[in-house]
Amino acid sequence: MKDKEKMIDDILSRGVGEFVDPDGIFRNKLLTNPEKVVIKLGVDPNRPDIHLGHAVVLRKLRQLQDLGCKIIFLIGDYTATIGDPTGKSKVRPDIEQAEVDKNAKTYIDQVGKILNTDPTVFSWMRNSDWYYGPTDLVPDPSIKSINIETKKEDGTTQTLEIPANSFVGKALFFESTRMQKTHLHLSQIATVTLKGLLWTMKHITHAQLIERDMFQDRLNKNEELYMHEMIYPILQGIDSLMISYIYGNCDLEVGGTDQHFNMLMGRNVMKSNKVAPQSVLSFDLLEGLDGKEKMSKSLDNYVSITDEPSDMYGKILSIPDSSIAHYFELCTYTSLSRVEEIKKEVIGGKVNPKDLKMELARQIVAEYHGEEKVKEAENDFITKFQKKEIPDVLEQLEAEGDELLSDVLLRGGIVESKTEFRRLVEDGAVSNLDTKEKIEDFFQKIEGDMKLKIGKKRFVEIRKK
């Protein structure tokens, strides 16, 4: 029991920003009855890749799964079209449902790299399952009618053709496509109605919402603040309420410290609906490769858990020395006592930071790609960067006609903008590997096949169609 208590203490403290658990209700349930614990993680699929920042939370959830807890991986496909304003100084642009669906599938495919996806300890759900109603659905235009079998009074059956675009047709389609039916096989479907939303909003004050720091920042700067953004925390709280209805309880919600306000709002929503409120576990945010901003794809300072082993290894070696200990704490299972030693070693200059980064890179590559890929990644890195040699396999791009080099690199995702390409050219960071000459013309056209070095880490082969 003592060992279990020590493990739980480590889970609830390591890398944790804040833990809200009045009267120790969650901790006690985790200690005495973990197989009955339901934990929610909500993700907003506005970007397709899971990076090491997301993995901080996922790795913690895996530890909780190992104790027997069930993780509900909630895809916020409905609320993603609204957009959580967390950390946004401006209104976030709308995202199309098709893109949300594509990103959601990518998320599910990737979480299995970290989480145990056995149904006893894992379930996933879309929040559109309870926010959409029958009239929101647009039937496939190729489906003109829905056939249903009914029994007559004499015991014989008859087939009724229901127009697919009618209310009844949409209701039948709605009933048959809810995950609560198709995945969880529940007899009744839980939904959110306007009446239920208004009931919840009656118990949340304007003052409670407006105290959110990013809302205050907007108002102080005389920037627009829209109602759909203000109610986002309420909708996130309703998600917790619905999980409690569907799975029997929602004991804990986890997320980054930037989600702490939203998760606390979930407690208020659950209380107002007479449901046991969730505890809240907020994790420290992992800084990106720049060592400054939080890891984010939009800032291009991230390491995706699906990066190639050599790319992952090289990116980790690029982090600033000041981030080494924090990465060990949040991205590995290195003991906290060793993390403290690493902090002292870096500050005291007792060790070459590069050696620590290489050890960090080895651990991270091993976790996401397996031990057998570590040496391969290390050798590839040495070949590519330390020996300044060209790797055997280059990124492949195709060019059509007399396209501009900048257009080909932009389309291939090698550069994010023509402005970045111009900066790289001005810095002498684009060179032709065949001629050994630097590219100096911003408007260079693709006249034939060519091999390029872009910056310090990218090697590209362009083939002209």
Side-chain angles (χ1 to χ4, degrees), residues 53 105 190 200 249 251 298-299 337 344 353 386:
K105 183 182 184 305
T200 297
N249 51 288
D251 299 292
S298 62
L299 297 175
S337 59
K344 294 176 182 177
Q386 292 186 336

Side-chain angles (χ1 to χ4, degrees), residues 141-156:
S142 65
I143 302 175
K144 302 302 181 183
S145 63
I146 297 175
N147 296 333
I148 60 171
E149 297 284 335
T150 63
K151 280 191 175 183
K152 296 181 179 180
E153 291 183 1
D154 61 6
T156 61

Side-chain angles (χ1 to χ4, degrees), residues 161-376:
E161 278 194 9
I162 308 297
N165 206 35
S166 67
F167 178 81
V168 175
K170 288 182 177 182
L172 289 170
F173 181 71
F174 172 84
E175 176 85 6
S176 66
T177 56
R178 298 306 86 191
M179 288 185 69
Q180 296 171 62
K181 282 278 189 180
T182 60
H183 285 59
L184 302 182
H185 309 294
L186 301 181
S187 58
Q188 291 188 330
I189 295 175
T191 60
V192 176
T193 63
L194 178 59
K195 180 179 181 181
L197 174 62
L198 292 176
W199 163 262
T200 297
M201 293 181 69
K202 277 177 59 178
H203 297 81
I204 307 295
T205 68
H206 177 266
Q208 285 175 298
L209 292 173
I210 208 67
E211 71 181 16
R212 200 176 186 191
D213 53 1
M214 69 280 301
F215 291 163
Q216 288 294 324
D217 289 343
R218 290 258 201 100
L219 294 174
N220 291 336
K221 294 176 183 177
N222 293 318
E223 294 176 348
E224 300 289 0
L225 179 58
Y226 293 93
M227 289 306 300
H228 75 285
E229 296 180 291
M230 287 194 66
I231 69 169
Y232 189 98
I234 298 176
L235 296 178
Q236 185 169 328
I238 289 175
D239 287 343
S240 295
L241 177 68
M242 300 306 288
I243 285 177
S244 184
Y245 287 155
I246 294 168
Y247 291 93
N249 51 288
C250 183
D251 299 292
L252 178 75
E253 182 172 8
V254 300
T257 51
D258 57 345
Q259 287 291 311
H260 194 71
F261 180 93
N262 289 6
M263 294 191 291
L264 288 179
M265 185 58 65
R267 288 180 54 82
N268 293 336
V269 170
M270 296 168 85
K271 286 178 183 177
S272 66
N273 284 275
K274 314 301 181 186
V275 169
Q278 64 189 13
S279 295
V280 169
L281 189 60
S282 305
F283 300 106
D284 290 337
L285 299 177
L286 179 68
E287 67 271 26
L289 299 176
D290 53 10
K292 299 175 182 177
E293 303 287 345
K294 76 171 184 177
M295 187 169 285
S296 165
K297 186 163 186 181
S298 62
L299 297 175
D300 196 25
N301 65 355
Y302 72 105
V303 182
S304 170
I305 67 171
T306 58
D307 276 342
E308 290 297 316
S310 59
D311 289 339
M312 182 178 284
Y313 189 97
K315 286 181 180 180
I316 296 301
L317 262 68
S318 74
I319 67 173
D321 297 351
S322 58
S323 293
I324 293 174
H326 203 216
Y327 269 65
F328 267 108
E329 180 182 2
L330 297 184
C331 301
T332 76
Y333 292 109
T334 302
S335 68
L336 288 178
S337 59
R338 175 58 185 146
V339 171
E340 288 302 315
E341 290 177 2
I342 290 171
K343 288 180 183 179
K344 294 176 182 177
E345 289 172 353
V346 173
I347 294 173
K350 296 179 180 179
V351 66
N352 185 341
K354 181 183 172 184
D355 293 335
L356 290 173
K357 291 179 189 179
M358 291 179 73
E359 173 56 30
L360 176 64
R362 284 193 286 266
Q363 289 193 39
I364 291 175
V365 171
E367 180 161 352
Y368 298 106
H369 294 285
E371 290 287 349
E372 67 280 0
K373 291 291 184 180
V374 174
K375 194 63 180 177
E376 181 182 319

